Amino acid sequence: MTAPTTGVDRASGRPVVPVRGAQRPLGQAEVRVTGGFWAGLQATNACATLEHCESWMERLGWLANFDRVAAGTSGSDRPGWSFSDSEVYKLIEAAAWEFGRTGDAAADAMVRRLTARIAPAQDADGYLNTCYGHRGRPPRYSDLETGHELYNTGHLLQAAVARLRTTGPDELVDVARRAADHVCATFGTAGLCGHPEIEVGLAELGRALGVPRYVEQARLFLDRRGHGTLRDIPLGRAYFQDDVPVREATAFRGHAVRALYLSAAAVDVGVEFGDDALVGAVARQWDHTVERRTYLTGGMGSRHQDEGFGEDWELPADRAYCESCAGVASIMVSWRLYLAIGDVKYADLIERTFYNVVATSPRSDGRAFFYANPLHQRTPGGVSDDDAVSPRAESGTRAAWFDVSCCPTNVARTLASWQAYAASAGPRELTLLQYAPARVTTTLDDGGALAIDVDTAYPADGTVTIRVAEAPAHAVALRLRVPSWAGGAVLSEGGRTRAVTPGFAVVDRPLVPGEEIRLVLPTTPRFTWPDRRIDAVRGCVAVERGPLVLCAESVDLPAGTTMDDLEIDPSVPPAQLAGHRVTVRTTDGTDVVLVPYHQWAERGPTTMRIWLPAGRPIGPSDRDSVPPVS
Amino acid sequence: MTAPTTGVDRASGRPVVPVRGAQRPLGQAEVRVTGGFWAGLQATNACATLEHCESWMERLGWLANFDRVAAGTSGSDRPGWSFSDSEVYKLIEAAAWEFGRTGDAAADAMVRRLTARIAPAQDADGYLNTCYGHRGRPPRYSDLETGHELYNTGHLLQAAVARLRTTGPDELVDVARRAADHVCATFGTAGLCGHPEIEVGLAELGRALGVPRYVEQARLFLDRRGHGTLRDIPLGRAYFQDDVPVREATAFRGHAVRALYLSAAAVDVGVEFGDDALVGAVARQWDHTVERRTYLTGGMGSRHQDEGFGEDWELPADRAYCESCAGVASIMVSWRLYLAIGDVKYADLIERTFYNVVATSPRSDGRAFFYANPLHQRTPGGVSDDDAVSPRAESGTRAAWFDVSCCPTNVARTLASWQAYAASAGPRELTLLQYAPARVTTTLDDGGALAIDVDTAYPADGTVTIRVAEAPAHAVALRLRVPSWAGGAVLSEGGRTRAVTPGFAVVDRPLVPGEEIRLVLPTTPRFTWPDRRIDAVRGCVAVERGPLVLCAESVDLPAGTTMDDLEIDPSVPPAQLAGHRVTVRTTDGTDVVLVPYHQWAERGPTTMRIWLPAGRPIGPSDRDSVPPVS
């Protein structure tokens, strides 16, 4: 394994590099995760998931679709949906981040191998798509509502951004540039894709290559949407956010992934053009959505029917869709808002979503995935057939691959770039947002070098120890996120210990190499009561521990009892036993073990629930809510 | 208006005439509804809805589709879904029942007029379909899963049964007979339609015409289903009940209307062939479904995604689908089970479904309809555009017509035949099941004539007065249904008054012409608590009055409050005020008026809820459930 160095600056490897904002994102070279929870998931992603995805796409002919276009042999028998190209691009993106993170030659080879498959399929004018525009296929852009052509291209551009920011210009970047030029040439005055994604791709490729025209094209698409340009469909134009312009909307709505990709692009464009009103509009929609349309897990999307947001307070646990891809997309939006505005609440939601949606999707071996992530499984899921394609977004069973297989590659690219969301910097400050064993190094704006080593067993334990390795002589602000759940947190530094409240705990003074700063976040398991307006979980209580949402799984119930019998006595606080096991007391007086939600369904088909019916006495009034998540 | 008489026996006008069973259904000529709640709905149905449906189908070209097939000018531009033919047939059926009920010449003219449109489109071999099998259209039976060809035919046969049993053989019956012959000739050995319906049509036409081969073909279709013959689809084969044979299933599942039409046919076939095991299988599925998959309104279908049943206890109020057609289909199943088995519980559910699903669908003017019937409307519905086709099964707003417009004609045919479900007879007994002002006359098996007049303001008032008009000298059993909700009912007859319990109150003695029998069903409004396993309404209570489910509608809330503020004090019983207004006390000490659910959304866009959050003290433990409905 050789870390790439040529042509890569220290701040490389960042998915988003805004031109301005409250915070500067740190790059992969600046945040090196050295172990812990996320390093484990990243290793599985690298060793198993990437190859797994490539092999399924080869097996199903989604890769060969490119060969056929190149060879002029495409036809009506093309396998895959119109968006299968995007899976290839997301896999390339994942491999690019992985190579950037570790220098793993296999990941680099995957990027090159896949690039060599897609490049020959590109037309001379830059158009690249295996579903439209070639022999035996419908004409280009003949179905903008559902054809996903620009959506596919958007993912190609994001893959190229990953490559450019980790390795440098190559054939993939050239392909993407030609594709972006083609989009600008074709959609300068009209046209809109039914699935937003081209916008984030154009904005970031424009930034990465220094081509303002791409960012401007993203702005055009953004302004064009919301005026009923796309035809009405049974689910309504809200499905693809063509009902109301993004500036005027009050909440994320319609298809969740579409809504969130679009919102991410709106922040990109707003920041790029100094359009604070646009950024503010998305921030308000985020507030509304996180308060009223977001699950305790951070999951978004209450409806199977349209994979979409429901109405305010419509948050059924059993039919929660909470698509893995919507978790990824939510992190994209929150990250952009955090960089623009700097509010800690965005990083709080990112943590919640990472631990309880993104980490929940892959099976522990990285070769099967949840598509939907409900908070309640009423009947045991099936037994996964790892040799079969799941025709549906089944709940309760992780599947090796899906007919619509957007989630595996989306999770893969996000896991491979986890460290990008862990820290940020200001003029003379460094902020730790997510906790993992890591070395974080950065160069402050005045040229001063700062390096720290983070040691922690988080999230199993809430103690985070920071050892200063290198620091300038002058004062710097080291800011440590204190999550919203961490009441009673304590910071020890400079020979004293003090209580710190949720938000940022700040050490603002000259740091001394060798000194230790210790943040202790209480991870005593706690009850969380729902907002009284959520009908679906009225009279229930959830248990959380640190950033982890816990759940009851049927395999852990006392013999002879079922989930239907479970009723919690909320006058007895949840207990943490040895080995990080958490138990709750039932009204029958027995104790039931809870497990982290992200671990559920790893021990055979089970039923499961996060929100547990609470018997009386029920402790706090159910009029008390715990904002912002519900 | 001239009542038809020629060729029609006194027991005519019955949708279902089983060869055997616990009860004999009474015909339209035996039950004459003379006023009251249902007479009003029937009048509106006759005066407005029938013409409304015909005019929309003319406007949209669904009727002209038949003309084009007849003229050989069908083509790829055919308007309507593959099942639009069935809407024409259901309308003919509605008009046939209406003519049978009242002798209304306009209804008769509609049957003749529509028959004259469809008959010329029939092929020489009996095939009749405007979507398949003709110029510019896909071949016959080329898409059994979704093509609805046999489904359409099934509705044609049901229309012919209605005509045959109200007026006698005519051109429509001839068309249906040829269609049935064609089906038997084509599907003797293989083939299955993705939407059950042909089965009930064949079974009843076979009975009505005395052609056992039709009933046998229904049996073949029934036995063929459940073995994975139809191809798998993303929603799974349970969607069209091809996952498990009907004899082996444990609950109604998949698409609700499909499941219920199939179950109705299973009872028909089971009764016809003396197959008690088959009837018993459906009865067990009914029990399971009514306990665990049925709403307080009688509505069935918890999911929008597949218009389907959910899992046990999955009964969200806000996303309840409760399709109007599923209510119709549920009545079809319950009626057949009642006739076969005689248990009062089937008539109880029929009443609940009639008052709270079927009566809810049509707007008071009979020119707009609910498709979905949720128990909770979170945001105000739109304002109905009576000149537009609704592209979706919207909640909160009745629509004049739908892109998929199954519900208006289904409601129409069911309202026109309401009286068919009101009474039944045994060897020397007469049973009143549904209460309305009516004259009921029948000839007992020994030739004795029995005639009674029913006088009641039901459901506004629970007093039912029966005056004997004619009776044989020997003892007869007059059985009056005491609904499951009617604790404290009292029967006065023969000079004495006694308490009667839910089930049947029986007067078994010689009846004296001129005597009065009075049943008083208490209609004091009452709280209903949900089964504790229904997560969606935990901590809530509903209010019912007689057979009516009540709801809170936002227009009735105190000024300055919203539905989100509503919390009921369940220690104060609901109160009935003058004019049948019902109020509940909130925890804030104010009173809120409730209205019958079937009347909601008649006063402009509103929010609404049936299940009302209950503040403490909450009265009965929420472990207490009120079976069978939830």
XYZ file of all heavy atoms in Angstrom, chain A residues 342-381:
321
model
N -22.039 26.690 10.253
C -21.226 26.374 11.427
C -21.988 25.884 12.638
O -21.388 25.617 13.678
N -23.298 25.750 12.532
C -24.079 25.338 13.710
C -23.819 23.869 14.029
O -23.846 23.014 13.151
C -25.568 25.561 13.436
C -26.394 25.538 14.709
O -26.243 24.586 15.519
O -27.197 26.469 14.906
N -23.627 23.602 15.300
C -23.312 22.245 15.747
C -24.454 21.267 15.478
O -24.241 20.060 15.369
C -22.946 22.266 17.246
C -24.189 22.575 18.093
C -22.288 20.969 17.687
N -25.671 21.767 15.360
C -26.805 20.854 15.189
C -26.681 20.010 13.923
O -27.173 18.886 13.868
C -28.122 21.632 15.187
C -28.325 22.553 14.002
C -29.595 23.398 14.173
C -29.709 24.406 13.036
N -30.842 25.339 13.270
N -26.027 20.585 12.926
C -25.859 19.796 11.691
C -24.938 18.601 11.928
O -25.171 17.506 11.432
C -25.329 20.684 10.567
C -26.224 21.873 10.283
C -25.779 23.177 10.466
C -27.530 21.682 9.846
C -26.606 24.267 10.209
C -28.365 22.762 9.591
C -27.892 24.059 9.774
O -28.718 25.125 9.528
N -23.874 18.836 12.688
C -22.958 17.724 12.996
C -23.628 16.712 13.912
O -23.357 15.507 13.830
C -21.684 18.278 13.629
N -24.498 17.177 14.797
C -25.264 16.243 15.634
C -26.080 15.284 14.773
O -26.092 14.081 15.010
C -26.215 17.021 16.564
C -25.510 17.611 17.782
O -24.339 17.255 18.043
O -26.136 18.437 18.483
N -26.785 15.832 13.788
C -27.606 14.957 12.950
C -26.743 14.037 12.088
O -27.099 12.886 11.831
C -28.558 15.769 12.059
C -29.526 14.887 11.261
C -30.540 14.184 12.168
C -30.258 15.680 10.187
N -25.605 14.553 11.650
C -24.696 13.702 10.882
C -24.272 12.501 11.719
O -24.291 11.360 11.250
C -23.462 14.522 10.407
C -23.881 15.483 9.301
C -22.344 13.598 9.940
C -22.784 16.461 8.870
N -23.911 12.737 12.965
C -23.521 11.609 13.823
C -24.666 10.619 13.976
O -24.492 9.414 13.827
C -23.095 12.116 15.200
C -22.874 10.972 16.174
C -22.289 11.407 17.499
O -23.022 12.058 18.275
O -21.112 11.099 17.759
N -25.841 11.137 14.296
C -27.015 10.279 14.491
C -27.279 9.422 13.255
O -27.582 8.225 13.351
C -28.225 11.178 14.807
C -29.493 10.480 15.164
C -30.565 11.471 15.624
N -30.296 11.988 16.940
C -30.580 11.354 18.080
N -31.168 10.177 18.039
N -30.292 11.897 19.245
N -27.141 10.045 12.105
C -27.434 9.341 10.851
C -26.337 8.328 10.515
O -26.620 7.232 10.036
C -27.606 10.377 9.721
O -28.547 11.372 10.128
C -28.093 9.713 8.446
N -25.109 8.701 10.765
C -24.020 7.749 10.506
C -24.180 6.483 11.347
O -24.109 5.363 10.831
C -22.662 8.401 10.809
C -21.936 8.869 9.585
C -21.515 10.197 9.469
C -21.642 8.001 8.546
C -20.835 10.640 8.343
C -20.959 8.435 7.421
C -20.557 9.756 7.315
N -24.430 6.651 12.652
C -24.469 5.472 13.524
C -25.730 4.650 13.351
O -25.716 3.447 13.579
C -24.345 5.892 14.994
C -22.916 6.122 15.418
C -22.404 7.409 15.566
C -22.059 5.042 15.654
C -21.090 7.626 15.941
C -20.745 5.247 16.028
C -20.256 6.540 16.173
O -18.950 6.740 16.537
N -26.812 5.288 12.980
C -28.092 4.582 13.041
C -28.753 4.343 11.696
O -29.737 3.616 11.618
C -29.039 5.341 13.989
C -28.444 5.457 15.384
O -28.270 4.463 16.075
N -28.081 6.673 15.769
N -28.219 4.943 10.638
C -28.723 4.624 9.296
C -27.585 4.019 8.464
O -27.659 2.867 8.050
C -29.318 5.859 8.583
C -29.811 5.469 7.191
C -30.468 6.447 9.390
N -26.530 4.804 8.257
C -25.457 4.329 7.373
C -24.822 3.048 7.921
O -24.611 2.088 7.186
C -24.392 5.429 7.168
C -23.233 4.900 6.337
C -25.022 6.645 6.497
N -24.565 3.011 9.226
C -23.926 1.821 9.802
C -24.879 0.643 9.884
O -24.449 -0.504 10.019
C -23.387 2.144 11.198
N -26.168 0.905 9.800
C -27.166 -0.163 9.902
C -27.293 -0.919 8.590
O -27.578 -2.117 8.576
C -28.539 0.427 10.295
O -28.384 1.176 11.508
C -29.565 -0.658 10.509
N -27.075 -0.223 7.488
C -27.338 -0.830 6.188
C -26.474 -2.069 5.911
O -27.006 -3.136 5.642
C -27.173 0.216 5.076
O -27.349 -0.382 3.807
N -25.156 -1.986 5.992
C -24.382 -3.174 5.599
C -24.397 -4.268 6.665
O -24.350 -3.973 7.861
C -22.963 -2.627 5.413
C -22.902 -1.386 6.231
C -24.293 -0.825 6.270
N -24.479 -5.490 6.203
C -24.301 -6.624 7.109
C -22.860 -6.609 7.602
O -21.994 -6.003 6.977
C -24.621 -7.921 6.355
C -24.868 -9.127 7.242
C -25.423 -10.284 6.423
N -24.499 -10.706 5.367
C -24.837 -11.503 4.351
N -26.087 -11.959 4.249
N -23.954 -11.823 3.445
N -22.563 -7.278 8.687
C -21.224 -7.188 9.268
C -20.144 -7.664 8.298
O -18.995 -7.256 8.410
C -21.157 -7.967 10.584
O -21.574 -9.292 10.379
N -20.515 -8.487 7.329
C -19.504 -8.943 6.369
C -19.422 -8.055 5.127
O -18.654 -8.333 4.209
C -19.759 -10.396 5.953
C -21.013 -10.550 5.098
O -21.762 -9.558 4.934
O -21.245 -11.666 4.588
N -20.243 -7.003 5.084
C -20.172 -6.062 3.964
C -20.699 -6.595 2.654
O -20.472 -5.999 1.598
N -21.453 -7.684 2.703
C -21.918 -8.297 1.458
C -23.450 -8.394 1.369
O -23.986 -9.153 0.558
C -21.298 -9.692 1.305
C -19.785 -9.637 1.138
C -19.176 -11.001 0.821
N -17.737 -10.890 0.618
C -17.152 -10.532 -0.525
N -17.885 -10.241 -1.575
N -15.834 -10.450 -0.615
N -24.124 -7.674 2.197
C -25.590 -7.574 2.110
C -25.996 -6.283 2.800
O -25.280 -5.793 3.686
C -26.267 -8.782 2.755
N -27.143 -5.743 2.406
C -27.485 -4.371 2.786
C -28.975 -4.217 3.054
O -29.800 -4.834 2.382
C -27.086 -3.399 1.661
C -25.647 -3.558 1.261
C -25.266 -4.523 0.334
C -24.655 -2.786 1.858
C -23.939 -4.710 -0.001
C -23.322 -2.968 1.529
C -22.961 -3.928 0.592
N -29.270 -3.370 4.012
C -30.641 -2.886 4.135
C -30.846 -1.740 3.157
O -29.985 -0.866 3.017
C -30.919 -2.345 5.541
C -31.283 -3.391 6.547
C -30.792 -3.308 7.852
C -32.123 -4.444 6.233
C -31.132 -4.261 8.801
C -32.462 -5.400 7.172
C -31.965 -5.306 8.459
N -31.998 -1.757 2.534
C -32.426 -0.650 1.665
C -33.304 0.274 2.515
O -33.025 1.458 2.658
C -33.215 -1.245 0.499
C -33.576 -0.343 -0.649
C -33.114 -0.623 -1.940
C -34.409 0.741 -0.488
C -33.468 0.175 -3.021
C -34.769 1.543 -1.563
C -34.301 1.249 -2.830
O -34.657 2.033 -3.915
N -34.349 -0.312 3.125
C -35.203 0.426 4.055
C -34.744 0.124 5.477
O -34.256 -0.963 5.768
C -36.659 0.012 3.866
N -34.908 1.093 6.345
C -34.453 0.926 7.731
C -35.571 1.294 8.706
O -35.523 2.326 9.369
C -33.210 1.794 7.973
C -32.015 1.346 7.132
O -31.367 0.376 7.459
N -31.762 2.040 6.030
N -36.587 0.415 8.799
C -37.714 0.694 9.685
C -37.293 0.637 11.145
O -36.292 0.004 11.482
C -38.691 -0.435 9.363
C -37.815 -1.563 8.926
C -36.687 -0.908 8.165
N -38.087 1.260 12.004
C -37.790 1.259 13.440
C -38.572 0.169 14.177
O -38.519 0.071 15.394
C -38.108 2.638 14.048
C -37.070 3.737 13.784
C -37.122 4.206 12.327
C -37.280 4.928 14.711
N -39.291 -0.625 13.416
C -40.120 -1.661 14.026
C -40.339 -2.743 12.984
O -40.840 -2.461 11.894
C -41.458 -1.038 14.469
C -42.419 -1.984 15.121
N -43.710 -1.637 15.431
C -42.280 -3.266 15.533
C -44.321 -2.664 15.999
N -43.473 -3.658 16.063
N -39.950 -3.951 13.321
C -40.167 -5.077 12.414
C -41.198 -5.988 13.057
O -40.932 -6.597 14.096
C -38.837 -5.821 12.197
C -38.929 -7.021 11.279
C -39.091 -6.623 9.805
O -38.704 -5.517 9.419
N -39.660 -7.503 9.015
N -42.380 -6.078 12.455
C -43.473 -6.826 13.089
C -43.360 -8.326 12.904
O -43.778 -9.099 13.751
C -44.819 -6.379 12.512
C -45.197 -4.983 12.898
C -46.605 -4.660 12.398
N -46.954 -3.313 12.774
C -47.452 -2.980 13.953
N -47.671 -3.907 14.852
N -47.726 -1.729 14.241
N -42.892 -8.722 11.726
C -42.762 -10.160 11.470
C -41.312 -10.427 11.094
O -40.659 -9.560 10.498
C -43.684 -10.615 10.325
O -43.339 -9.877 9.145
C -45.137 -10.353 10.664
N -40.776 -11.575 11.446
C -39.363 -11.828 11.144
C -39.094 -11.705 9.657
O -39.887 -12.162 8.828
C -39.158 -13.269 11.620
C -40.258 -13.512 12.605
C -41.421 -12.712 12.120
N -37.994 -11.050 9.300
C -37.602 -10.985 7.900
C -37.259 -12.381 7.401
O -37.226 -13.334 8.160
